[in-house]
Coordinates of all heavy atoms in Angstrom, one line a residue:
P1129 N -0.9 8.5 -1.4 CA -1.3 9.2 -2.7 C -0.2 9.9 -3.4 O 0.8 10.2 -2.8 CB -2.4 10.2 -2.2 CG -2.0 10.5 -0.8 CD -1.4 9.2 -0.2
G1130 N -0.4 10.1 -4.7 CA 0.6 10.8 -5.5 C 0.7 12.2 -5.0 O -0.1 12.7 -4.3
P1131 N 1.9 12.8 -5.3 CA 2.1 14.2 -4.8 C 1.2 15.2 -5.3 O 1.1 16.3 -4.7 CB 3.6 14.4 -5.2 CG 3.8 13.6 -6.4 CD 2.9 12.3 -6.2
D1132 N 0.5 15.0 -6.5 CA -0.3 16.0 -7.1 C -1.6 16.1 -6.4 O -2.3 17.2 -6.5 CB -0.4 15.8 -8.6 CG 0.9 15.9 -9.3 OD1 1.7 16.7 -8.9 OD2 1.1 15.1 -10.3
R1133 N -2.1 15.1 -5.8 CA -3.5 15.1 -5.2 C -3.6 16.2 -4.2 O -4.6 16.9 -4.2 CB -3.8 13.7 -4.7 CG -5.1 13.7 -4.0 CD -5.4 12.3 -3.4 NE -6.6 12.3 -2.5 CZ -6.9 11.2 -1.8 NH1 -6.2 10.1 -1.8 NH2 -8.0 11.3 -1.1
Y1134 N -2.7 16.3 -3.3 CA -2.8 17.2 -2.2 C -2.3 18.6 -2.6 O -2.7 19.6 -2.0 CB -2.1 16.7 -0.9 CG -2.7 15.5 -0.3 CD1 -2.2 14.2 -0.6 CD2 -3.9 15.7 0.5 CE1 -2.9 13.1 0.0 CE2 -4.5 14.6 1.0 CZ -4.0 13.3 0.8 OH -4.6 12.2 1.3
S1135 N -1.3 18.7 -3.5 CA -0.8 20.0 -3.9 C -1.9 20.8 -4.7 O -2.0 22.0 -4.6 CB 0.4 19.8 -4.8 OG 0.1 19.1 -6.0
E1136 N -2.8 20.1 -5.3 CA -3.9 20.8 -6.0 C -4.9 21.5 -4.9 O -5.5 22.5 -5.2 CB -4.7 19.8 -6.8 CG -4.0 19.3 -8.0 CD -4.8 18.2 -8.7 OE1 -5.9 17.8 -8.2 OE2 -4.3 17.7 -9.8
L1137 N -5.0 20.9 -3.7 CA -5.8 21.5 -2.7 C -5.1 22.5 -1.9 O -5.7 23.3 -1.1 CB -6.3 20.4 -1.8 CG -7.1 19.2 -2.4 CD1 -7.4 18.2 -1.4 CD2 -8.4 19.8 -3.1
G1138 N -3.7 22.6 -2.0 CA -2.9 23.5 -1.2 C -2.7 23.0 0.2 O -2.3 23.8 1.1
F1139 N -2.9 21.8 0.5 CA -2.7 21.2 1.9 C -1.9 19.9 1.8 O -1.9 19.3 0.7 CB -4.1 21.0 2.6 CG -4.8 22.2 2.9 CD1 -5.8 22.7 2.0 CD2 -4.6 22.9 4.1 CE1 -6.5 23.8 2.3 CE2 -5.3 24.0 4.4 CZ -6.3 24.5 3.5
L1140 N -1.4 19.5 2.9 CA -0.6 18.3 3.0 C -1.4 17.3 3.9 O -2.1 17.7 4.8 CB 0.8 18.5 3.6 CG 1.7 19.3 2.7 CD1 3.0 19.5 3.5 CD2 2.0 18.6 1.4
P1141 N -1.3 16.0 3.7 CA -2.0 15.0 4.5 C -1.5 15.0 5.9 O -0.3 15.4 6.2 CB -1.8 13.7 3.7 CG -0.5 13.9 3.0 CD -0.5 15.4 2.6
L1142 N -2.3 14.4 6.8 CA -1.9 14.4 8.2 C -0.7 13.5 8.4 O 0.2 13.7 9.3 CB -3.1 13.8 9.0 CG -2.8 13.8 10.6 CD1 -2.6 15.1 11.1 CD2 -4.0 13.1 11.3
S1143 N -0.5 12.4 7.6 CA 0.7 11.6 7.7 C 2.0 12.3 7.4 O 3.0 12.1 8.1 CB 0.5 10.4 6.7 OG 0.4 10.9 5.4
L1144 N 1.9 13.3 6.5 CA 3.1 14.1 6.3 C 3.4 15.1 7.4 O 4.6 15.4 7.7 CB 3.0 14.9 4.9 CG 3.3 14.1 3.7 CD1 3.3 15.0 2.5 CD2 4.7 13.4 3.8
A1145 N 2.3 15.6 8.0 CA 2.5 16.4 9.2 C 3.2 15.6 10.3 O 4.2 16.1 11.0 CB 1.2 17.0 9.7
F1146 N 2.8 14.4 10.5 CA 3.5 13.5 11.5 C 5.0 13.3 11.0 O 5.9 13.3 11.9 CB 2.8 12.2 11.5 CG 3.4 11.1 12.4 CD1 3.4 11.2 13.8 CD2 4.2 10.1 11.8 CE1 4.0 10.2 14.5 CE2 4.8 9.2 12.5 CZ 4.7 9.2 13.9
S1147 N 5.2 13.1 9.7 CA 6.5 12.8 9.3 C 7.4 14.0 9.5 O 8.6 13.9 9.9 CB 6.5 12.4 7.8 OG 5.7 11.3 7.6
F1148 N 6.9 15.2 9.2 CA 7.7 16.4 9.3 C 8.0 16.8 10.7 O 8.9 17.6 11.0 CB 7.0 17.6 8.5 CG 7.1 17.4 7.0 CD1 6.2 18.1 6.2 CD2 8.0 16.7 6.4 CE1 6.3 18.0 4.8 CE2 8.1 16.5 5.1 CZ 7.2 17.2 4.3
F1149 N 7.2 16.3 11.7 CA 7.5 16.5 13.1 C 8.9 15.9 13.3 O 9.7 16.5 14.0 CB 6.5 15.9 14.0 CG 6.9 15.8 15.4 CD1 6.8 17.0 16.2 CD2 7.4 14.7 16.0 CE1 7.3 16.9 17.5 CE2 7.8 14.6 17.3 CZ 7.8 15.8 18.1
F1150 N 9.2 14.7 12.8 CA 10.5 14.1 13.0 C 11.5 14.9 12.1 O 12.7 15.0 12.5 CB 10.4 12.7 12.6 CG 9.7 11.8 13.6 CD1 8.4 11.6 13.5 CD2 10.4 11.2 14.6 CE1 7.7 10.8 14.4 CE2 9.8 10.4 15.5 CZ 8.4 10.2 15.4
M1151 N 11.1 15.3 10.9 CA 12.0 16.0 10.0 C 12.6 17.2 10.6 O 13.8 17.4 10.7 CB 11.3 16.3 8.7 CG 12.0 17.2 7.7 SD 13.5 16.4 7.1 CE 14.3 17.8 6.5
W1152 N 11.7 18.1 11.1 CA 12.2 19.4 11.6 C 12.6 19.5 13.0 O 13.5 20.2 13.4 CB 11.1 20.5 11.3 CG 10.7 20.5 9.8 CD1 9.5 20.3 9.3 CD2 11.6 20.9 8.7 NE1 9.5 20.4 7.9 CE2 10.8 20.8 7.5 CE3 12.9 21.2 8.6 CZ2 11.3 21.0 6.3 CZ3 13.4 21.5 7.3 CH2 12.6 21.4 6.2
A1153 N 11.8 18.7 13.9 CA 12.1 18.8 15.3 C 13.2 17.9 15.8 O 13.8 18.2 16.8 CB 10.8 18.5 16.1
I1154 N 13.4 16.8 15.1 CA 14.3 15.8 15.7 C 15.5 15.5 14.7 O 16.7 15.4 15.2 CB 13.6 14.4 15.9 CG1 12.5 14.7 17.0 CG2 14.5 13.3 16.3 CD1 11.6 13.5 17.2
S1155 N 15.3 15.4 13.4 CA 16.3 14.9 12.5 C 17.4 15.9 12.3 O 18.5 15.6 11.9 CB 15.7 14.6 11.2 OG 15.3 15.7 10.5
G1156 N 17.2 17.2 12.7 CA 18.3 18.2 12.5 C 19.5 17.8 13.2 O 20.6 18.2 12.8
T1157 N 19.4 17.2 14.4 CA 20.6 16.8 15.1 C 21.4 15.7 14.4 O 22.5 15.5 14.8 CB 20.2 16.2 16.5 OG1 19.2 15.2 16.4 CG2 19.5 17.3 17.3
G1158 N 20.8 15.0 13.4 CA 21.5 14.0 12.7 C 22.3 14.5 11.5 O 22.9 13.7 10.8
Q1159 N 22.4 15.8 11.3 CA 23.1 16.4 10.2 C 24.5 16.7 10.6 O 24.7 17.3 11.7 CB 22.4 17.6 9.7 CG 21.0 17.3 9.2 CD 20.3 18.6 8.6 OE1 20.9 19.5 8.3 NE2 19.0 18.5 8.5
P1160 N 25.5 16.4 9.8 CA 26.9 16.6 10.2 C 27.2 18.1 10.6 O 28.0 18.3 11.5 CB 27.7 16.2 9.0 CG 26.8 15.2 8.3 CD 25.4 15.7 8.5

Side-chain angles (χ1 to χ4, degrees):
D1132 295 326
R1133 175 182 172 185
Y1134 291 101
S1135 62
E1136 291 175 356
L1137 302 175
F1139 293 93
L1140 294 176
L1142 184 60
S1143 58
L1144 278 188
F1146 173 78
S1147 303
F1148 286 159
F1149 170 78
F1150 286 90
M1151 169 65 197
W1152 303 117
I1154 298 176
S1155 69
T1157 56
Q1159 300 182 18

